[in-house]
Amino acid sequence: MTQTFQELGLAPVLLETLEHIGYSEPTPIQREAIPHLLAGRDVLGQAQTGTGKTAAFTLPTLQQLHNESLQVLILAPTRELAIQNAEAVYRYGHKIGLRVLPIYGGQSYDRQIRRLNKGVHVVVGTPGRTLDLIRQGHLNLDDVKYLILDEADEMLKMGFIEDIEQIIDATDEENRQTILFSATFSKEIKRIAEQYMRDAVHIKIESEQMTGDNIEQVHYLVKQRDKINALSRILEVEQPLSTLIFAKTKVGSAELAEQLIAQNYPAVAIHGDLSQQERERILGRFRKGESQILVATDVMARGVDIPAVSHVINYDLPQLAIEYVHRIGRTGRAGRTGKAITLLTPNQRRALKVIEGYVSNQIPRAQLPTREQVLAIREQQFMNNLIDQIQKVESSDANLQTLVDMGYEMDHIATALIRMLRSQEADESLATISDVNSRDKSRNDRRDRGRDRGDRNGKGRGRGRGGKRNRGRREEGMVRLIMAVGRSNGVKPGDVVYKIASQSEIPGSVLGQIDIQNNKTFVDVPEEHVQKVLTNGKNLTIKGQPAKLKLA
Ligand code: AMP
């Protein structure tokens, strides 16, 4: 049984914060370091970024703050890391009214000094600026109880050793607990540990290297709003045998499975709201190949025995590098090869670098399949199916005989049949995917961020879900359309989005509220797209029924 945060001895207020942030269980470094730090020991931790080390050293120190003075000093090599650590400290500590200040070069002294004078509990600083402020008498370290050296090896590489030693000397040795984190352990680090730390506990978290080259790893750069269409193209081209797709949240996994089903992919989500029996049934079907796509969250995937798969797709990036390793380890088992595909949004490039560092491997960028590639694959598949059917033919068809008797040529009959079949397939037209390099940092990106936040709280925009509440209310700039299909036809929000978006070649994300009623459905479409949607949607069918799309 893995330990919980509570079992590690963290205070209720911190447990509440962690639950709110969504950390369900401690990472290995947190499990090992937190109890020692709470017991007052010095800790020497060997762990990389991506392991959850920041929370490992922050949580126990925050728990033991006892007055208003500066009690925690974290030294970090770069401005970026200082800011990032300060943000993490703020996130973990804001419920206890904690004040934290990042200090680094290049920023005005005045502002930093003013903030220091107002009083802060935690300072996260780069060594140079921190030492300057100590020398100028603005930073008093007398009450510092926790001195944390984060990414110590990087600080040494950058030539900060003398500054660091002077900063350490400015703290009270008797009163101080010293914590040092480093990805690598050089002689110099050992010397610092021996000189400045007291009987330190040494914790080492091995970075999980990939075993062999049997897992091909790639990433695709796509905008948040294009993810579903990108995934759909990837699935069409890869034609995976069995795929495990990871989504960030329980709600996200269920919605993604719905969207895939709406596109005729045999997908199923496995999530915590299902009974044990249902989960086993889903896994059983997946094992037998009856459903080829399983959508899961990290928590769910950890708890159940999912069989090996041909493809792992990170629809959402994992928060922890270690989760990435766990996820992709589901493929390429027992000597087989596997493929791990990650969808990355432009603002997640840094997070990918962290994962690459952790697995000591580059995860190259691949180009999304183009329209032409997908259409060529469809063509190929069509021909394969046709040939397959031709080979199965044993006796001639009575209708065909009638057509021949009527005097039609065989090749004309065949051509007409192929055209008929192809026109049915045209229903599944391809949605457009925008280029990530294009500069429309506009409403859509902001909207994407909003949606990310919504997802994290487990409440997406809830298309079609909050129907009652929003019924009759239309967002500004939207025109309400009505369709003659509804719940009684089995219509789901994903069907509506997919059909309208693909038929009209507009991004699904621009559609507004969808209200599915028993025999009809309302959908809000931005004014600028209404004409296109109505024209292209004349013959729209959903679940095989004519949708009869018109103005509401
Ligand atoms: P770090 O190694 O400290 O840079 O952390 C890497 C990422 O993991 C950060 O985005 C943290 O928010 C996240 N993280 C830390 N601890 C946990 C946890 N127990 N569960 C899930 N995510 C975590």
Side-chain angles (χ1 to χ4, degrees), residues 64-118:
Q64 303 187 80
L65 300 187
H66 47 72
N67 60 36
E68 285 299 302
S69 59
L70 172 63
Q71 292 149 81
V72 184
L73 175 63
I74 304 174
L75 293 179
T78 60
R79 171 176 175 266
E80 286 70 28
L81 188 62
I83 295 174
Q84 196 182 309
N85 279 346
E87 277 169 3
V89 171
Y90 175 76
R91 243 180 340 139
Y92 302 137
H94 79 279
K95 270 200 171 112
I96 50 175
L98 186 107
R99 288 189 303 276
V100 50
L101 178 69
I103 56 176
Y104 43 82
Q107 208 198 23
S108 109
Y109 277 91
D110 273 358
R111 195 177 320 146
Q112 292 175 351
I113 294 167
R114 248 181 287 131
R115 285 284 314 275
L116 284 172
N117 289 342
K118 273 199 200 155

Side-chain angles (χ1 to χ4, degrees), residues 5 23 25-27 30 48-54 91 319-320:
F5 280 114
Y23 294 178
E25 59 181 46
T27 66
Q30 291 162 2
Q48 288 183 322
T49 303
T51 50
K53 68 180 168 65
T54 318
R91 243 180 340 139
Q319 272 199 311
L320 285 162

Side-chain angles (χ1 to χ4, degrees), residues 262-531:
Q263 299 187 20
N264 288 326
Y265 286 107
V268 55
I270 185 154
H271 53 76
D273 287 349
L274 302 169
S275 69
Q276 184 62 26
Q277 222 179 0
E278 280 170 309
R279 281 185 232 159
E280 273 162 22
R281 192 177 52 79
I282 286 173
L283 283 174
R285 292 191 51 205
F286 186 63
R287 231 176 245 122
K288 282 189 240 148
E290 288 167 9
S291 53
Q292 285 163 1
I293 300 175
L294 190 66
V295 188
T297 57
D298 291 303
V299 180
M300 190 38 59
R302 224 173 297 137
V304 293
D305 176 27
I306 293 175
V309 293
S310 68
H311 286 65
V312 168
I313 299 181
N314 295 310
Y315 187 76
D316 294 318
L317 201 66
Q319 272 199 311
L320 285 162
I322 199 170
E323 296 287 13
Y324 177 85
V325 178
H326 290 163
R327 286 180 180 189
I328 79 165
R330 303 279 183 170
T331 183
R333 292 231 185 120
R336 276 186 288 242
T337 56
K339 190 158 182 181
I341 294 171
T342 299
L343 298 188
L344 196 76
T345 57
N347 59 2
Q348 290 177 323
R349 286 185 174 110
R350 207 190 146 268
L352 184 75
K353 286 262 164 298
V354 169
I355 293 175
E356 288 181 329
Y358 186 74
V359 298
S360 318
N361 221 335
Q362 278 230 322
I363 304 169
R365 178 175 171 191
Q367 293 301 327
L368 274 177
T370 60
R371 252 187 118 67
E372 291 65 36
Q373 283 167 329
V374 176
L375 294 178
I377 290 209
R378 286 187 186 173
E379 195 69 34
Q380 183 71 47
Q381 263 176 339
F382 178 80
M383 288 304 283
N384 289 349
N385 289 343
L386 193 60
I387 292 168
D388 207 35
Q389 281 301 319
I390 293 171
Q391 282 172 346
K392 281 188 195 149
V393 170
E394 279 170 3
S395 57
S396 93
D397 186 279
N399 289 320
L400 179 62
Q401 201 48 55
T402 311
L403 291 168
V404 173
D405 291 346
M406 285 166 78
Y408 291 110
E409 303 275 343
M410 261 315 179
D411 59 344
H412 284 178
I413 299 171
T415 307
L417 282 174
I418 289 178
R419 287 213 179 124
M420 263 168 69
L421 283 170
R422 300 296 279 144
S423 75
Q424 275 170 19
E425 283 207 343
D427 207 23
E428 295 170 22
S429 57
L430 259 179
T432 319
I433 296 178
S434 55
D435 181 2
V436 257
N437 300 322
S438 70
R439 302 216 146 259
D440 69 334
K441 268 208 101 36
S442 54
R443 342 177 347 234
N444 286 321
D445 283 359
R446 280 199 293 280
R447 193 186 351 231
D448 289 345
R449 279 203 289 278
R451 186 173 311 150
D452 272 351
R453 266 197 295 280
D455 282 348
R456 212 166 294 144
N457 297 333
K459 3 179 169 102
R461 282 211 302 168
R463 265 196 181 129
R465 298 242 156 94
K468 277 227 169 65
R469 194 166 33 86
N470 291 305
R471 195 167 291 169
R473 262 208 288 131
R474 181 161 33 87
E475 290 171 47
E476 220 175 295
M478 294 278 186
V479 174
R480 181 150 295 184
L481 305 186
I482 185 171
M483 290 188 264
V485 284
R487 209 172 312 122
S488 60
N489 308 97
V491 172
K492 298 247 173 64
D495 304 329
V496 178
V497 176
Y498 174 66
K499 284 290 184 150
I500 293 184
S502 56
Q503 198 90 348
S504 319
E505 303 213 332
I506 59 171
S509 58
V510 303
L511 295 177
Q513 186 68 35
I514 294 173
D515 179 8
I516 302 179
Q517 301 186 11
N518 205 29
N519 294 315
K520 57 185 178 230
T521 296
F522 294 98
V523 51
D524 286 352
V525 176
E527 274 161 0
E528 66 265 34
H529 294 303
V530 170
Q531 205 45 50

